[in-house]
Amino acid sequence: MLESLLFLIMGSITIACALCVVFQKNPIYSAIFLIQTMVSLAVLYVLLHAQFIAAIQVMIYAGAIMVLFIFVIMLLNLSKADEEGERDNLFFQKPSAIILGFILVVMIGTVTLKTVFQGVKGEYTPETISQIGNTQLVGKMLFTKYVFPFEIASILLFAAIIGAIILAKKRIIED
Amino acid sequence: MLISYLPILILLLVVMGFAISNIIISALIGRHKPTAEKLSPYECGVEPIGSARERFSVKFYIIAMMFVIFDIEVVFLYPWAVAYKSLALFGLIEMAIFIIILLVGYVYIWKRGGFEWE
C-alpha cells in the first residue's frame, strides 16, 4: 500500500520533471530538472528492490554525467538570444520524433508484455535478494554469468578514453 | 522494508526545510537596501570582467570525461569487493584484466598529456 502510493508520487514527479526538461527554454534549467528526474528514478529503483542500481544512479547519473552535461552546455555557449529566441527547427524534426517515439513505446510495450506481465515468478524474488543482499547478488551475477559483458565494458571505457583524447587534444597532437 | 529508508526521508526533509526556511527568514527579517555593488554578481571579491556567458575551454570537458570514465571503473569495483570471497581467484583474475585494460587507457591519457593544464 505504502509502496504503491510512493510509486505513484515518485512516478508523477519523474514524468513531470522529464517533461520540464523538454519544455524548458534555458538548457541549464533543463539540466537541473534532469537531475531531479535521475534522483526520482533512483527512488523508483529502490521500490523495485534494486538498491545498488539506485545508489549508482545517484552517483553516476545525477553526479558525474550531469557535470558532463553542464560542461557541454557551457562549451556550446548559447547566447541569451539563442536561449530565449527562435531556433532553426529541422523540417523533419517533428514527424520523425513522433514516429520514433511511437516505435519506442511499442517496443517497450511488447517487451514488458512478453516478460514482466507473464505472471511467472523469476529466480530472484525480493525475498531471496534481501536474503543474499542486493550488491552481493549483482557482484555474483556480474562476475560469473555476465563476465563477458563486464570485460567488454572495459573495452568500451577504453574506447571512450581514446575518443575523448583524440577529439579534445587535437590541437596539441598536431603541433 | 520501506521503513528502513525513514532516515533518508528525515534527512531530505531537514535539508529542504533548512534551505527553504533560510531563504524565507532572510527575506522576512533581513534589511533591503540594494546598491549597485550589492546587486552585482559575486566573484570572490574581484570585480566581474565581462559576461559569464563566454565560451569555456574544452579542457574542462576532458577533465569531466576522465572523471566519468574512472568513476564507472570504480562502480564495477563495488560489487566485486562485496562478493569477493565467493568469487575467489577467478574474480581476481577477471578484475585484473579489467583494471589492466583501463590502466593502458590511463597511460595513454598520461602520455598524450590529458592530465596537463597547458
Side-chain angles (χ1 to χ4, degrees):
Chain A
M1 183 56 214
L2 185 68
E3 284 187 25
S4 40
L5 185 73
L6 194 60
F7 172 76
L8 278 177
I9 296 168
M10 290 319 293
S12 21
I13 290 176
T14 313
I15 292 169
C17 286
L19 286 174
C20 281
V21 173
V22 182
F23 289 118
Q24 282 294 324
K25 286 224 165 92
N26 190 330
I28 294 287
Y29 293 163
S30 292
I32 289 168
F33 276 111
L34 194 55
I35 295 173
Q36 180 55 50
T37 313
M38 304 291 192
V39 173
S40 325
L41 272 179
V43 179
L44 294 182
Y45 285 137
V46 169
L47 289 173
L48 289 169
H49 301 268
Q51 292 89 347
F52 179 67
I53 301 294
I56 296 307
Q57 173 84 10
V58 173
M59 266 177 56
I60 300 291
Y61 282 90
I65 303 273
M66 285 317 297
V67 171
L68 200 65
F69 276 20
I70 301 279
F71 279 155
V72 169
I73 292 167
M74 279 156 61
L75 267 179
L76 291 174
N77 180 34
L78 293 166
S79 63
K80 194 117 183 159
D82 285 335
E83 276 169 16
E84 281 154 16
E86 276 149 48
R87 270 170 239 178
D88 306 329
N89 287 318
L90 299 169
F91 69 97
F92 51 83
Q93 202 170 6
K94 272 180 190 166
S96 56
I98 290 165
I99 293 164
L100 290 175
F102 181 73
I103 293 170
L104 184 69
V105 168
V106 168
M107 271 169 66
I108 293 171
T110 44
V111 168
T112 32
L113 281 178
K114 281 204 168 162
T115 56
V116 182
F117 295 139
Q118 289 294 303
V120 185
K121 238 183 187 178
E123 198 184 335
Y124 297 102
T125 56
E127 289 76 38
T128 42
I129 291 171
S130 57
Q131 222 170 33
I132 306 170
N134 184 267
T135 316
Q136 277 95 328
L137 206 58
V138 170
K140 267 182 201 160
M141 294 306 280
L142 191 64
F143 294 101
T144 51
K145 198 176 171 190
Y146 298 104
V147 61
F148 186 63
F150 164 71
E151 296 295 353
I152 289 298
S154 71
I155 306 280
L156 196 67
L157 289 172
F158 186 63
I161 290 172
I162 291 173
I165 292 289
I166 294 285
L167 285 174
K169 286 268 167 190
K170 212 172 186 176
R171 229 176 326 152
I172 293 149
I173 294 163
E174 276 168 4
D175 284 349
Chain B
M1 177 241 151
L2 272 177
I3 209 76
S4 57
Y5 291 96
L6 195 66
I8 295 178
L9 182 70
I10 293 169
L11 179 75
L12 193 72
L13 291 176
V14 168
V15 168
M16 278 164 66
F18 181 71
I20 293 167
S21 62
N22 264 350
I23 293 168
I24 291 172
I25 290 168
S26 65
L28 284 178
I29 64 170
R31 284 198 190 177
H32 301 282
K33 281 182 187 166
T35 59
E37 279 78 31
K38 277 186 192 170
L39 291 174
S40 70
Y42 181 72
E43 231 176 277
C44 305
V46 183
E47 268 187 49
I49 311 156
S51 164
R53 288 161 195 280
E54 80 183 62
R55 200 163 194 155
F56 283 76
S57 169
V58 76
K59 290 175 208 160
F60 293 102
Y61 174 75
I62 201 163
I63 295 287
M65 192 74 192
M66 295 306 131
F67 171 63
V68 170
I69 288 166
F70 291 108
D71 207 18
I72 293 166
E73 182 190 350
V74 170
V75 160
F76 281 108
L77 284 170
Y78 287 123
W80 175 69
V82 170
Y84 176 72
K85 276 203 175 140
S86 60
L87 292 165
L89 188 66
F90 183 60
L92 188 69
I93 293 165
E94 279 171 54
M95 193 38 96
I97 295 167
F98 182 78
I99 296 284
I100 285 167
I101 290 171
L102 281 168
L103 202 66
V104 174
Y106 185 79
V107 171
Y108 176 79
I109 300 168
W110 199 333
K111 290 285 167 199
R112 277 285 159 103
F115 298 124
E116 275 151 45
W117 191 271
E118 68 286 307

PDB file of all heavy atoms in Angstrom, chain A residues 62-87:
ATOM      1  N   ALA A  62      23.168  11.328 -11.589  1.00  0.00           N
ATOM      2  CA  ALA A  62      22.877  12.635 -11.007  1.00  0.00           C
ATOM      3  C   ALA A  62      24.160  13.388 -10.674  1.00  0.00           C
ATOM      4  O   ALA A  62      24.162  14.613 -10.584  1.00  0.00           O
ATOM      5  CB  ALA A  62      22.018  12.476  -9.755  1.00  0.00           C
ATOM      6  N   GLY A  63      25.270  12.656 -10.505  1.00  0.00           N
ATOM      7  CA  GLY A  63      26.528  13.317 -10.189  1.00  0.00           C
ATOM      8  C   GLY A  63      27.391  13.547 -11.406  1.00  0.00           C
ATOM      9  O   GLY A  63      27.410  14.629 -11.986  1.00  0.00           O
ATOM     10  N   ALA A  64      28.069  12.475 -11.828  1.00  0.00           N
ATOM     11  CA  ALA A  64      29.111  12.621 -12.843  1.00  0.00           C
ATOM     12  C   ALA A  64      28.568  13.011 -14.213  1.00  0.00           C
ATOM     13  O   ALA A  64      29.067  13.942 -14.843  1.00  0.00           O
ATOM     14  CB  ALA A  64      29.897  11.315 -12.932  1.00  0.00           C
ATOM     15  N   ILE A  65      27.534  12.304 -14.669  1.00  0.00           N
ATOM     16  CA  ILE A  65      27.035  12.547 -16.028  1.00  0.00           C
ATOM     17  C   ILE A  65      26.488  13.970 -16.140  1.00  0.00           C
ATOM     18  O   ILE A  65      26.653  14.635 -17.165  1.00  0.00           O
ATOM     19  CB  ILE A  65      25.948  11.514 -16.395  1.00  0.00           C
ATOM     20  CG1 ILE A  65      26.485  10.100 -16.260  1.00  0.00           C
ATOM     21  CG2 ILE A  65      25.396  11.779 -17.782  1.00  0.00           C
ATOM     22  CD1 ILE A  65      27.177   9.527 -17.433  1.00  0.00           C
ATOM     23  N   MET A  66      25.838  14.430 -15.067  1.00  0.00           N
ATOM     24  CA  MET A  66      25.252  15.770 -15.136  1.00  0.00           C
ATOM     25  C   MET A  66      26.329  16.846 -15.200  1.00  0.00           C
ATOM     26  O   MET A  66      26.150  17.871 -15.857  1.00  0.00           O
ATOM     27  CB  MET A  66      24.318  16.012 -13.951  1.00  0.00           C
ATOM     28  CG  MET A  66      23.004  15.308 -14.075  1.00  0.00           C
ATOM     29  SD  MET A  66      22.242  15.393 -15.695  1.00  0.00           S
ATOM     30  CE  MET A  66      21.976  17.132 -15.833  1.00  0.00           C
ATOM     31  N   VAL A  67      27.467  16.607 -14.520  1.00  0.00           N
ATOM     32  CA  VAL A  67      28.590  17.541 -14.622  1.00  0.00           C
ATOM     33  C   VAL A  67      29.037  17.643 -16.080  1.00  0.00           C
ATOM     34  O   VAL A  67      29.260  18.733 -16.618  1.00  0.00           O
ATOM     35  CB  VAL A  67      29.760  17.090 -13.719  1.00  0.00           C
ATOM     36  CG1 VAL A  67      30.998  17.917 -13.976  1.00  0.00           C
ATOM     37  CG2 VAL A  67      29.371  17.176 -12.261  1.00  0.00           C
ATOM     38  N   LEU A  68      29.098  16.482 -16.720  1.00  0.00           N
ATOM     39  CA  LEU A  68      29.490  16.433 -18.127  1.00  0.00           C
ATOM     40  C   LEU A  68      28.495  17.211 -18.989  1.00  0.00           C
ATOM     41  O   LEU A  68      28.891  17.977 -19.875  1.00  0.00           O
ATOM     42  CB  LEU A  68      29.543  14.971 -18.561  1.00  0.00           C
ATOM     43  CG  LEU A  68      30.346  14.650 -19.806  1.00  0.00           C
ATOM     44  CD1 LEU A  68      31.793  14.934 -19.576  1.00  0.00           C
ATOM     45  CD2 LEU A  68      30.158  13.204 -20.180  1.00  0.00           C
ATOM     46  N   PHE A  69      27.205  17.042 -18.698  1.00  0.00           N
ATOM     47  CA  PHE A  69      26.165  17.748 -19.453  1.00  0.00           C
ATOM     48  C   PHE A  69      26.329  19.255 -19.310  1.00  0.00           C
ATOM     49  O   PHE A  69      26.253  19.997 -20.291  1.00  0.00           O
ATOM     50  CB  PHE A  69      24.775  17.341 -18.944  1.00  0.00           C
ATOM     51  CG  PHE A  69      24.244  16.077 -19.551  1.00  0.00           C
ATOM     52  CD1 PHE A  69      25.094  15.172 -20.148  1.00  0.00           C
ATOM     53  CD2 PHE A  69      22.895  15.797 -19.522  1.00  0.00           C
ATOM     54  CE1 PHE A  69      24.620  14.009 -20.697  1.00  0.00           C
ATOM     55  CE2 PHE A  69      22.405  14.638 -20.079  1.00  0.00           C
ATOM     56  CZ  PHE A  69      23.266  13.738 -20.664  1.00  0.00           C
ATOM     57  N   ILE A  70      26.565  19.690 -18.054  1.00  0.00           N
ATOM     58  CA  ILE A  70      26.703  21.118 -17.797  1.00  0.00           C
ATOM     59  C   ILE A  70      27.911  21.661 -18.567  1.00  0.00           C
ATOM     60  O   ILE A  70      27.854  22.729 -19.174  1.00  0.00           O
ATOM     61  CB  ILE A  70      26.872  21.393 -16.280  1.00  0.00           C
ATOM     62  CG1 ILE A  70      25.677  20.879 -15.503  1.00  0.00           C
ATOM     63  CG2 ILE A  70      27.121  22.866 -16.009  1.00  0.00           C
ATOM     64  CD1 ILE A  70      24.473  21.744 -15.468  1.00  0.00           C
ATOM     65  N   PHE A  71      29.002  20.889 -18.582  1.00  0.00           N
ATOM     66  CA  PHE A  71      30.193  21.341 -19.305  1.00  0.00           C
ATOM     67  C   PHE A  71      29.912  21.437 -20.801  1.00  0.00           C
ATOM     68  O   PHE A  71      30.400  22.341 -21.471  1.00  0.00           O
ATOM     69  CB  PHE A  71      31.376  20.411 -19.035  1.00  0.00           C
ATOM     70  CG  PHE A  71      32.071  20.694 -17.743  1.00  0.00           C
ATOM     71  CD1 PHE A  71      32.794  19.717 -17.089  1.00  0.00           C
ATOM     72  CD2 PHE A  71      32.013  21.957 -17.175  1.00  0.00           C
ATOM     73  CE1 PHE A  71      33.431  19.987 -15.891  1.00  0.00           C
ATOM     74  CE2 PHE A  71      32.646  22.234 -15.984  1.00  0.00           C
ATOM     75  CZ  PHE A  71      33.359  21.240 -15.344  1.00  0.00           C
ATOM     76  N   VAL A  72      29.136  20.491 -21.309  1.00  0.00           N
ATOM     77  CA  VAL A  72      28.810  20.542 -22.738  1.00  0.00           C
ATOM     78  C   VAL A  72      27.966  21.784 -23.032  1.00  0.00           C
ATOM     79  O   VAL A  72      28.192  22.477 -24.031  1.00  0.00           O
ATOM     80  CB  VAL A  72      28.093  19.252 -23.183  1.00  0.00           C
ATOM     81  CG1 VAL A  72      27.514  19.400 -24.572  1.00  0.00           C
ATOM     82  CG2 VAL A  72      29.043  18.088 -23.147  1.00  0.00           C
ATOM     83  N   ILE A  73      27.014  22.091 -22.139  1.00  0.00           N
ATOM     84  CA  ILE A  73      26.188  23.286 -22.340  1.00  0.00           C
ATOM     85  C   ILE A  73      27.075  24.532 -22.330  1.00  0.00           C
ATOM     86  O   ILE A  73      26.922  25.434 -23.151  1.00  0.00           O
ATOM     87  CB  ILE A  73      25.102  23.375 -21.245  1.00  0.00           C
ATOM     88  CG1 ILE A  73      24.084  22.254 -21.425  1.00  0.00           C
ATOM     89  CG2 ILE A  73      24.389  24.722 -21.285  1.00  0.00           C
ATOM     90  CD1 ILE A  73      23.161  22.068 -20.241  1.00  0.00           C
ATOM     91  N   MET A  74      28.062  24.539 -21.409  1.00  0.00           N
ATOM     92  CA  MET A  74      28.959  25.688 -21.339  1.00  0.00           C
ATOM     93  C   MET A  74      29.871  25.766 -22.558  1.00  0.00           C
ATOM     94  O   MET A  74      30.214  26.846 -23.027  1.00  0.00           O
ATOM     95  CB  MET A  74      29.807  25.603 -20.063  1.00  0.00           C
ATOM     96  CG  MET A  74      29.048  26.089 -18.843  1.00  0.00           C
ATOM     97  SD  MET A  74      29.650  25.410 -17.297  1.00  0.00           S
ATOM     98  CE  MET A  74      31.308  25.985 -17.248  1.00  0.00           C
ATOM     99  N   LEU A  75      30.243  24.597 -23.058  1.00  0.00           N
ATOM    100  CA  LEU A  75      31.085  24.551 -24.261  1.00  0.00           C
ATOM    101  C   LEU A  75      30.357  25.122 -25.464  1.00  0.00           C
ATOM    102  O   LEU A  75      30.923  25.852 -26.265  1.00  0.00           O
ATOM    103  CB  LEU A  75      31.444  23.107 -24.579  1.00  0.00           C
ATOM    104  CG  LEU A  75      32.729  22.519 -24.055  1.00  0.00           C
ATOM    105  CD1 LEU A  75      32.820  21.088 -24.490  1.00  0.00           C
ATOM    106  CD2 LEU A  75      33.913  23.287 -24.568  1.00  0.00           C
ATOM    107  N   LEU A  76      29.077  24.752 -25.579  1.00  0.00           N
ATOM    108  CA  LEU A  76      28.316  25.193 -26.742  1.00  0.00           C
ATOM    109  C   LEU A  76      28.063  26.684 -26.683  1.00  0.00           C
ATOM    110  O   LEU A  76      27.868  27.320 -27.716  1.00  0.00           O
ATOM    111  CB  LEU A  76      26.994  24.437 -26.821  1.00  0.00           C
ATOM    112  CG  LEU A  76      27.144  22.967 -27.158  1.00  0.00           C
ATOM    113  CD1 LEU A  76      25.806  22.286 -27.072  1.00  0.00           C
ATOM    114  CD2 LEU A  76      27.736  22.782 -28.532  1.00  0.00           C
ATOM    115  N   ASN A  77      28.053  27.231 -25.445  1.00  0.00           N
ATOM    116  CA  ASN A  77      27.994  28.675 -25.261  1.00  0.00           C
ATOM    117  C   ASN A  77      26.833  29.303 -26.011  1.00  0.00           C
ATOM    118  O   ASN A  77      27.009  30.035 -26.971  1.00  0.00           O
ATOM    119  CB  ASN A  77      29.322  29.305 -25.706  1.00  0.00           C
ATOM    120  CG  ASN A  77      29.312  30.781 -25.528  1.00  0.00           C
ATOM    121  OD1 ASN A  77      28.707  31.279 -24.581  1.00  0.00           O
ATOM    122  ND2 ASN A  77      29.964  31.485 -26.428  1.00  0.00           N
ATOM    123  N   LEU A  78      25.637  29.011 -25.550  1.00  0.00           N
ATOM    124  CA  LEU A  78      24.469  29.626 -26.153  1.00  0.00           C
ATOM    125  C   LEU A  78      24.360  31.060 -25.656  1.00  0.00           C
ATOM    126  O   LEU A  78      24.467  31.302 -24.467  1.00  0.00           O
ATOM    127  CB  LEU A  78      23.212  28.847 -25.762  1.00  0.00           C
ATOM    128  CG  LEU A  78      23.115  27.452 -26.335  1.00  0.00           C
ATOM    129  CD1 LEU A  78      22.047  26.689 -25.606  1.00  0.00           C
ATOM    130  CD2 LEU A  78      22.831  27.498 -27.800  1.00  0.00           C
ATOM    131  N   SER A  79      24.147  31.954 -26.551  1.00  0.00           N
ATOM    132  CA  SER A  79      23.943  33.335 -26.133  1.00  0.00           C
ATOM    133  C   SER A  79      22.512  33.475 -25.627  1.00  0.00           C
ATOM    134  O   SER A  79      21.692  32.580 -25.776  1.00  0.00           O
ATOM    135  CB  SER A  79      24.180  34.277 -27.298  1.00  0.00           C
ATOM    136  OG  SER A  79      23.247  34.011 -28.297  1.00  0.00           O
ATOM    137  N   LYS A  80      22.237  34.611 -25.004  1.00  0.00           N
ATOM    138  CA  LYS A  80      20.907  34.837 -24.446  1.00  0.00           C
ATOM    139  C   LYS A  80      19.826  34.744 -25.541  1.00  0.00           C
ATOM    140  O   LYS A  80      18.760  34.190 -25.317  1.00  0.00           O
ATOM    141  CB  LYS A  80      20.867  36.224 -23.802  1.00  0.00           C
ATOM    142  CG  LYS A  80      19.677  36.430 -22.920  1.00  0.00           C
ATOM    143  CD  LYS A  80      20.102  36.660 -21.476  1.00  0.00           C
ATOM    144  CE  LYS A  80      18.896  36.796 -20.599  1.00  0.00           C
ATOM    145  NZ  LYS A  80      19.172  36.543 -19.207  1.00  0.00           N
ATOM    146  N   ALA A  81      20.167  35.245 -26.710  1.00  0.00           N
ATOM    147  CA  ALA A  81      19.199  35.222 -27.808  1.00  0.00           C
ATOM    148  C   ALA A  81      18.889  33.789 -28.223  1.00  0.00           C
ATOM    149  O   ALA A  81      17.735  33.429 -28.472  1.00  0.00           O
ATOM    150  CB  ALA A  81      19.744  36.000 -28.991  1.00  0.00           C
ATOM    151  N   ASP A  82      19.940  32.940 -28.231  1.00  0.00           N
ATOM    152  CA  ASP A  82      19.741  31.545 -28.617  1.00  0.00           C
ATOM    153  C   ASP A  82      18.859  30.830 -27.610  1.00  0.00           C
ATOM    154  O   ASP A  82      18.064  29.972 -27.959  1.00  0.00           O
ATOM    155  CB  ASP A  82      21.087  30.817 -28.691  1.00  0.00           C
ATOM    156  CG  ASP A  82      21.855  31.207 -29.922  1.00  0.00           C
ATOM    157  OD1 ASP A  82      21.204  31.625 -30.884  1.00  0.00           O
ATOM    158  OD2 ASP A  82      23.084  31.107 -29.902  1.00  0.00           O
ATOM    159  N   GLU A  83      19.051  31.211 -26.327  1.00  0.00           N
ATOM    160  CA  GLU A  83      18.311  30.517 -25.284  1.00  0.00           C
ATOM    161  C   GLU A  83      16.832  30.837 -25.345  1.00  0.00           C
ATOM    162  O   GLU A  83      15.983  29.996 -25.134  1.00  0.00           O
ATOM    163  CB  GLU A  83      18.843  30.918 -23.905  1.00  0.00           C
ATOM    164  CG  GLU A  83      20.047  30.101 -23.502  1.00  0.00           C
ATOM    165  CD  GLU A  83      20.723  30.682 -22.286  1.00  0.00           C
ATOM    166  OE1 GLU A  83      20.105  31.502 -21.591  1.00  0.00           O
ATOM    167  OE2 GLU A  83      21.881  30.310 -22.047  1.00  0.00           O
ATOM    168  N   GLU A  84      16.531  32.108 -25.578  1.00  0.00           N
ATOM    169  CA  GLU A  84      15.140  32.525 -25.477  1.00  0.00           C
ATOM    170  C   GLU A  84      14.460  32.704 -26.830  1.00  0.00           C
ATOM    171  O   GLU A  84      13.242  32.622 -26.921  1.00  0.00           O
ATOM    172  CB  GLU A  84      15.050  33.821 -24.665  1.00  0.00           C
ATOM    173  CG  GLU A  84      15.140  33.516 -23.176  1.00  0.00           C
ATOM    174  CD  GLU A  84      15.680  34.670 -22.381  1.00  0.00           C
ATOM    175  OE1 GLU A  84      15.702  35.802 -22.900  1.00  0.00           O
ATOM    176  OE2 GLU A  84      16.089  34.448 -21.235  1.00  0.00           O
ATOM    177  N   GLY A  85      15.251  32.980 -27.827  1.00  0.00           N
ATOM    178  CA  GLY A  85      14.666  33.256 -29.131  1.00  0.00           C
ATOM    179  C   GLY A  85      14.328  32.005 -29.899  1.00  0.00           C
ATOM    180  O   GLY A  85      14.217  30.913 -29.357  1.00  0.00           O
ATOM    181  N   GLU A  86      14.182  32.200 -31.186  1.00  0.00           N
ATOM    182  CA  GLU A  86      13.806  31.061 -32.015  1.00  0.00           C
ATOM    183  C   GLU A  86      15.032  30.287 -32.444  1.00  0.00           C
ATOM    184  O   GLU A  86      16.123  30.814 -32.548  1.00  0.00           O
ATOM    185  CB  GLU A  86      13.059  31.560 -33.255  1.00  0.00           C
ATOM    186  CG  GLU A  86      11.601  31.781 -32.962  1.00  0.00           C
ATOM    187  CD  GLU A  86      11.022  32.898 -33.782  1.00  0.00           C
ATOM    188  OE1 GLU A  86      11.250  32.906 -34.995  1.00  0.00           O
ATOM    189  OE2 GLU A  86      10.369  33.780 -33.198  1.00  0.00           O
ATOM    190  N   ARG A  87      14.811  29.057 -32.689  1.00  0.00           N
ATOM    191  CA  ARG A  87      15.884  28.200 -33.149  1.00  0.00           C
ATOM    192  C   ARG A  87      15.546  27.669 -34.525  1.00  0.00           C
ATOM    193  O   ARG A  87      14.371  27.602 -34.888  1.00  0.00           O
ATOM    194  CB  ARG A  87      16.065  27.026 -32.197  1.00  0.00           C
ATOM    195  CG  ARG A  87      17.036  27.343 -31.097  1.00  0.00           C
ATOM    196  CD  ARG A  87      17.010  26.272 -30.072  1.00  0.00           C
ATOM    197  NE  ARG A  87      16.639  26.825 -28.781  1.00  0.00           N
ATOM    198  CZ  ARG A  87      16.502  26.099 -27.700  1.00  0.00           C
ATOM    199  NH1 ARG A  87      16.682  24.826 -27.738  1.00  0.00           N
ATOM    200  NH2 ARG A  87      16.179  26.669 -26.567  1.00  0.00           N
TER     201      ARG A  87
END
